[in-house]
């Protein structure tokens, strides 16, 4: 029942409790968003009814199929309240409005407000007045009916991640011997050891009336049944808790791009791996909430110590968040609008911004998968989770197609299927009602792209004709014959003659783009880098593992603006991919690590990318010159920079020392290498 404010990071704990846990008033209503205040909906004329339906349609569009109606509240946030008769009639009117838009209404909560003050005295003889919060959600009607929320489950070993996943998806409590977690494992050795070594995903659905739809629901046997009966799908991805599987966890988080994260903590102890996962969430600016498990078998003193340590870290300099323990439905409704981290203020987030923390509220749940303590409350929280707003979603919908490949499957009788995330644009099948456009798949080992077509598309095991930006899907691909014909008319050829893409041609990190202008392979990338930790210093020719979207590749430090980087330093670094080129675009967030022990951790933003000199030769071409530099300045910078082949330059050449001038990072971008013969493969 609470409206999102514009600056949640400025809310103190006292202000939060005073503003969002009192009954006197709510924040004023705003025009944007999916929350609507209505004092009462009584004696509505036909003309007024049409206007209200149009208004509800707008609110549903703002919330991607969900809207919250606050009944009995004035536009300024004052909790006026309604009589029982007026509230019942208002609810009937709201249900009639929702029926016109194929939506259902469910009461989130209803309460009685305090008596109004009349001339300084409370009118205790007045009829009790009530306010209510109603969730309006679209019904199942077409292939775009459901709202998709992606939640990643993180935490250290023995935190109960897989067990909680099994409880939420099957509505059956654990027996204390691992029965629930056995449903979440992918491999036999995981079942035997009880340790997760791979990513596992499962679904929890919610109907339009708020009812839970999972494998315990009648008539539900497969994931497709859950999708068909749900208006909202929450995808829960279980990650690895052991340190040796940390690269798998990082690759899964960067590739799947979750909307939220569920950080799980064992109530008995606070592990170092949990701190590692928390730091990754803060760096990537992923909104998260905390679930403290095993409260049934942990002494109260140990729980208090764990909570004190957890709250100290969240409120510390790295987090700067507001922890809030949720005990009832009022608490979860109060914290939901302030869960998401504030968006970046520019096209690429500042390097200092991720270290400032979430700036919002971090809900904390104390649960037990054996006794079921607060499991219904956590389920209710997942039901009300909103999709984080994307400021540029309208622009991404009409942009050129970008689809990053995360997984590759070989499905019998279907062929090669790739799973991934649509970054921008849309993909349509060759049999779609709308006219599909050809796609370009790559980069291959030689840096080339080949034209393909989507034979079929599935979202959560359900066949659809198209998929758009910010949606996950699996696509069956086939090569399009290179006949030289016009690309706009090439799709007229019968799809029966198309050759499927062999699984050996595909790998994680490849991309589907909609135009040849986007089909560029990057051998080198310039990164505005912030070195979070290093045992010694980051120097040239050092090899790291880069995580950027679904790209997970080894890269060598080709050039640094200075002698080297140490913990806490910021500078511009050029990386060169070691094995094959990758598709990376400017503005993407990048993580880099070295070794399983984590002797080096850094985060950055891609500034520029460099292509290849010649197809088939694994040597990077010169990068584009920094914008705004004159020809003379470009030549002078090129003369001071190392050759494109990398390393320390010619024998006897002295490295350029770090400048002491306090110039901005953008002004210290790496120069364009001078034109020189391409190095041989051995030198690369």
């Amino acid at each position: 029942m609470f409206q999102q404010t514009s600056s949640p990071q400025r809310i103190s704990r006292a202000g939060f409790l005073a503003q969002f846990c009192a009954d006197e008033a709510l924040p004023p209503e705003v025009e944007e968003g999916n929350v609507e205040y209505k004092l009462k909906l009584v004696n509505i004329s036909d003309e007024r009814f049409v206007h209200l339906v149009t208004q509800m349609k707008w609110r549903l569009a703002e919330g991607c199929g969900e809207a919250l109606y606050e009944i009995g509240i004035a536009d300024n946030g004052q909790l006026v309240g309604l009589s029982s008769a007026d509230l019942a009639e208002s609810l009937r009117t709201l249900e009639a409005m929702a029926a016109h838009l194929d939506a259902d209404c469910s009461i989130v909560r209803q309460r009685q407000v305090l008596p109004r003050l009349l001339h300084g005295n409370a009118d205790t003889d007045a009829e009790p007045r009530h306010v209510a919060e109603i969730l309006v959600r679209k019904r199942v009607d077409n292939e775009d009916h459901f709202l998709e929320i992606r939640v990643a489950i993180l935490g250290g070993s023995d935190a109960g991640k897989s067990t909680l996943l099994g409880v939420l998806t099957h509505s059956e409590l654990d027996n204390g011997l691992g029965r629930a977690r056995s449903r979440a494992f992918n491999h036999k050795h995981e079942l035997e050891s009880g340790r997760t070594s791979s990513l596992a995903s499962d679904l929890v659905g919610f109907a339009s009336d708020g009812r839970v739809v999972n494998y315990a629901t009648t008539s539900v046997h497969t994931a497709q049944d859950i999708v068909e009966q749900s208006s909202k799908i929450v995808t829960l991805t279980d990650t690895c808790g052991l340190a040796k599987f940390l690269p798998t966890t990082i690759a899964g988080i960067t590739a799947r791009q979750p909307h939220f994260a569920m950080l799980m903590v064992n109530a008995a102890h606070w592990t170092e791996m949990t701190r590692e996962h928390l730091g990754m969430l803060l760096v990537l600016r992923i909104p998260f909430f905390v679930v403290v498990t095993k409260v049934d078998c942990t002494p109260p003193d140990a729980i208090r110590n764990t909570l004190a340590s957890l709250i100290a870290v969240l409120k510390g300099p790295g987090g700067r968040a507001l922890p809030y323990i949720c005990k009832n439905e009022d608490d979860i409704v109060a914290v939901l609008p302030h869960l998401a981290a504030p968006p970046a203020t520019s096209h690429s987030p500042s390097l200092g911004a991720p270290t400032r923390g979430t700036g919002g509220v971090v809900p904390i749940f104390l649960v037990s998968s054996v006794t079921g303590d607060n499991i219904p409350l956590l389920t209710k929280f997942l039901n009300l989770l909103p999709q984080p707003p994307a400021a540029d979603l309208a622009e991404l919908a009409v942009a050129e197609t970008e689809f990053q490949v995360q997984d590759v499957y070989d499905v019998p009788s279907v062929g090669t299927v790739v799973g991934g995330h649509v970054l921008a644009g849309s993909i349509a099948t060759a049999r779609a009602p709308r006219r599909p456009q050809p796609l370009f798949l790559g980069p291959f080992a030689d840096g080339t792209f080949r034209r393909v077509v989507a034979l079929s598309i599935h979202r959560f095991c359900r066949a659809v004709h198209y998929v758009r930006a910010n949606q996950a899907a699996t696509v069956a691909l086939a090569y399009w014959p290179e006949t030289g014909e016009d690309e706009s008319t090439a799709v007229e050829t019968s799809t029966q003659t198309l050759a499927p893409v062999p699984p050996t041609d595909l790998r994680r990190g490849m991309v589907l783009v909609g135009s040849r202008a986007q089909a560029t392979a990057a051998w080198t990338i310039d990164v505005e880098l912030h070195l979070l930790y290093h045992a010694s210093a980051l120097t040239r020719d050092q090899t790291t593992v880069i995580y950027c979207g679904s790209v997970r590749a080894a890269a060598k430090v080709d050039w640094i603006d200075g002698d080297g980087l140490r913990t806490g330093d910021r500078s511009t670094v050029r990386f060169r991919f070691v094995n094959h080129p990758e598709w990376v675009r400017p503005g993407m967030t990048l993580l880099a690590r070295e070794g399983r022990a984590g002797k080096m951790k850094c985060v950055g933003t891609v500034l520029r990318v460099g292509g290849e000199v010649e197809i088939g030769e694994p040597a990077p071409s010169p990068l584009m010159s920094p914008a705004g530099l004159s020809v003379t300045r470009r030549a002078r910078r090129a003369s001071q920079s190392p050759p494109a082949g990398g390393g320390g330059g010619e024998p006897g050449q002295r490295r350029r020392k770090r400048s002491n001038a306090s110039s901005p990072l953008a002004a210290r971008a790496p120069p364009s290498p001078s034109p020189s013969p391409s190095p041989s493969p051995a030198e690369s």
Side-chain angles (χ1 to χ4, degrees):
M1 191 183 291
F2 305 102
Q3 176 63 37
Q4 184 176 4
T5 60
S6 58
S7 301
Q9 66 273 18
R10 298 182 180 178
I11 299 176
S12 63
R13 183 173 183 84
F16 175 80
L17 295 177
Q19 182 177 1
F20 303 107
C21 294
D23 291 335
E24 286 77 9
L26 298 179
E29 182 185 22
V30 296
E31 296 297 330
E32 295 79 13
N34 66 332
V35 180
E36 178 69 25
Y37 291 1
K38 290 299 178 186
L39 182 58
K40 60 181 178 180
L41 299 173
V42 180
N43 299 326
I44 302 299
S45 62
D46 294 341
E47 183 178 356
R48 173 66 174 166
F49 185 82
V50 174
H51 173 74
L52 291 174
V53 171
T54 304
Q55 189 180 55
M56 178 179 286
K57 184 177 181 179
W58 161 258
R59 293 296 187 183
L60 289 173
E62 285 286 289
C64 300
E66 287 185 342
L68 285 174
Y69 270 72
E70 317 293 350
I71 306 299
I73 301 176
D75 291 342
N76 60 359
Q78 185 68 33
L79 273 66
V80 179
L82 298 176
S83 63
S84 300
D86 288 346
L87 180 61
E89 185 175 352
S90 298
L91 294 180
R92 288 193 295 268
T93 303
L94 193 64
E95 291 177 353
M97 294 162 49
H100 277 71
L101 299 175
D102 293 330
D104 287 329
C105 299
S106 60
I107 299 178
V108 176
R109 61 174 179 167
Q110 179 179 340
R111 64 165 52 186
Q112 181 178 341
V113 299
L114 298 176
R116 299 290 301 278
L117 295 179
L118 300 176
H119 306 291
N121 298 319
D123 187 7
T124 57
D125 297 333
E127 181 183 358
R129 307 181 71 85
H130 305 270
V131 295
E133 182 174 53
I134 312 300
L135 174 64
V136 183
R137 179 177 292 166
K138 291 281 290 182
R139 299 172 186 164
V140 178
D141 51 4
N142 51 46
E143 59 187 30
D144 285 332
H145 70 283
F146 58 85
L147 174 65
E148 174 189 351
I149 303 292
R150 297 186 295 273
V151 179
I153 306 177
L154 292 95
S157 180
D158 294 330
K161 300 185 298 297
S162 303
T163 301
L164 183 61
L165 176 62
V167 171
L168 292 176
T169 55
H170 291 78
S171 295
E172 184 179 353
L173 297 178
D174 187 45
N175 61 352
L177 300 176
R179 181 176 59 186
R181 71 185 182 189
S182 63
R183 304 186 178 100
F185 290 146
N186 294 325
H187 307 290
K188 182 180 179 181
H189 69 269
E190 295 178 336
L191 186 62
E192 295 174 349
S193 63
R195 308 292 186 180
T196 303
S197 62
S198 61
L199 300 179
S201 296
D202 218 330
L203 308 178
V204 175
F206 297 94
S208 57
D209 57 358
R211 176 175 47 87
V212 179
V213 181
N214 57 16
Y215 294 104
T217 305
T218 306
S219 72
V220 169
H221 303 285
T222 62
Q224 185 176 0
D225 297 334
I226 296 178
V227 175
E228 292 177 351
Q229 301 181 28
S230 303
S231 295
K232 182 176 184 177
I233 297 295
V234 178
T235 306
L236 300 173
T237 302
D238 185 21
T239 60
C240 311
L242 294 178
K244 65 178 181 179
F245 300 125
L246 183 59
T248 302
T249 299
I250 298 177
I253 296 301
T254 56
R256 306 201 178 196
Q257 301 183 12
H259 297 122
F260 299 95
M262 182 192 303
L263 182 65
M264 301 192 62
V265 180
N266 192 329
H269 53 84
W270 169 259
T271 63
E272 186 63 29
M273 187 52 55
T274 306
R275 295 177 183 267
E276 188 81 19
H277 290 177
L278 175 59
M280 180 173 56
L281 295 177
L282 294 175
V283 165
L284 296 177
R285 299 180 65 81
I286 299 177
F288 66 95
F289 54 97
V290 179
V291 176
V292 180
T293 60
K294 303 184 180 181
V295 297
D296 59 313
C297 59
T298 305
D301 292 341
I303 297 178
R304 282 192 291 267
N305 294 336
T306 302
L307 287 177
S309 177
L310 173 64
I311 292 175
V313 173
L314 294 177
K315 297 175 65 176
R320 294 188 180 181
L322 178 59
Y324 187 79
I325 299 178
C326 296
K327 300 178 181 179
N328 49 48
E329 295 181 356
D330 292 346
D331 292 338
I332 64 175
V333 176
V335 301
L336 271 174
H338 306 278
L339 178 62
T345 57
S346 62
H347 70 282
S348 61
S350 172
L351 288 180
T355 60
R356 290 200 295 265
T358 63
V361 179
V362 177
I364 300 177
F365 297 88
L366 305 178
V367 305
S368 171
S369 298
V370 176
T371 62
D373 293 345
N374 288 331
I375 293 295
L377 186 64
L378 180 60
T379 304
K380 180 100 173 187
F381 181 80
L382 295 176
N383 179 33
L384 297 179
L385 267 182
Q387 191 174 69
D392 55 350
L393 186 58
E395 300 177 2
L396 293 177
V398 297
E400 292 288 348
T401 301
E402 295 178 3
F403 178 90
Q404 277 200 313
V405 177
Q406 302 171 7
D407 299 289
V408 180
Y409 310 96
D410 188 11
V411 182
S413 72
V414 175
T416 304
V417 176
V418 295
H421 181 77
V422 183
L423 303 180
S426 60
I427 300 178
T429 64
R431 306 177 182 89
R434 65 175 71 177
R435 188 184 188 89
Q437 296 296 325
L439 302 173
F440 297 90
L441 173 67
F444 291 90
D446 56 356
T448 59
F449 283 72
R450 296 187 61 180
R451 191 166 57 176
V452 297
V453 65
L455 298 180
S456 63
I457 302 176
H458 282 72
R459 288 191 65 201
F460 299 102
C461 307
R462 189 171 188 266
V464 296
H465 288 300
Y466 61 91
V467 62
R468 58 175 183 266
N470 202 27
Q471 292 181 347
T474 55
V475 184
L477 298 177
Y479 280 130
W480 195 259
E482 299 291 345
T483 58
E485 56 185 303
D486 183 38
E487 295 174 0
S488 61
T489 60
V491 294
E492 299 295 338
T493 306
S494 174
T495 58
Q496 302 294 333
T497 61
L498 299 179
V501 179
T504 54
D505 289 358
L506 296 170
R507 59 176 174 83
R508 298 179 182 178
M510 300 183 78
V511 67
L512 293 172
V513 294
S515 64
R516 289 195 180 274
Q518 298 173 282
T520 57
W523 276 104
T524 59
I525 54 176
D526 287 357
V527 181
E528 187 181 2
L529 197 69
H530 178 201
L531 188 61
L532 302 176
Y533 172 78
H534 200 291
S536 56
L538 179 65
T539 58
R540 296 170 66 174
D541 297 332
Q542 185 173 347
T543 302
T544 65
V545 178
I546 285 180
Y547 303 87
C548 186
S550 60
V551 173
R552 176 183 175 183
K556 185 178 69 173
V557 178
D558 198 33
W559 185 87
I560 296 181
D561 186 11
D563 296 332
L565 295 181
R566 290 171 176 82
T567 301
D569 289 349
R570 296 178 174 89
S571 184
T572 304
V573 179
R574 176 178 298 165
F575 290 99
R576 178 189 298 175
F577 292 110
V578 175
N579 299 319
H580 44 69
E582 301 287 352
W583 184 90
V584 180
R585 58 174 170 80
M588 298 182 69
T589 302
L590 174 146
L591 294 179
R593 291 177 57 91
E594 180 185 7
R596 292 181 177 178
K599 60 179 294 187
M600 190 271 289
K601 310 170 190 176
C602 53
V603 60
T605 303
V606 179
L607 299 177
R608 285 170 296 273
V609 299
E612 57 185 357
V613 175
E614 185 176 353
I615 295 178
E617 185 175 355
S621 67
L623 296 173
M624 295 183 296
S625 300
L629 296 182
S630 62
V631 177
T632 305
R633 292 183 61 190
R634 292 176 185 173
R636 183 166 60 252
R637 282 199 169 190
S639 64
Q640 297 175 353
S641 64
E650 297 294 335
Q653 181 181 359
R654 180 177 299 178
R655 290 186 179 180
R656 187 160 58 93
K657 296 183 178 180
R658 183 191 300 269
S659 174
N660 295 326
S662 58
S663 59
L665 291 177
R668 298 191 286 118
S672 300
S674 58
S676 59
S678 302
S680 63
E683 294 174 345
S684 301

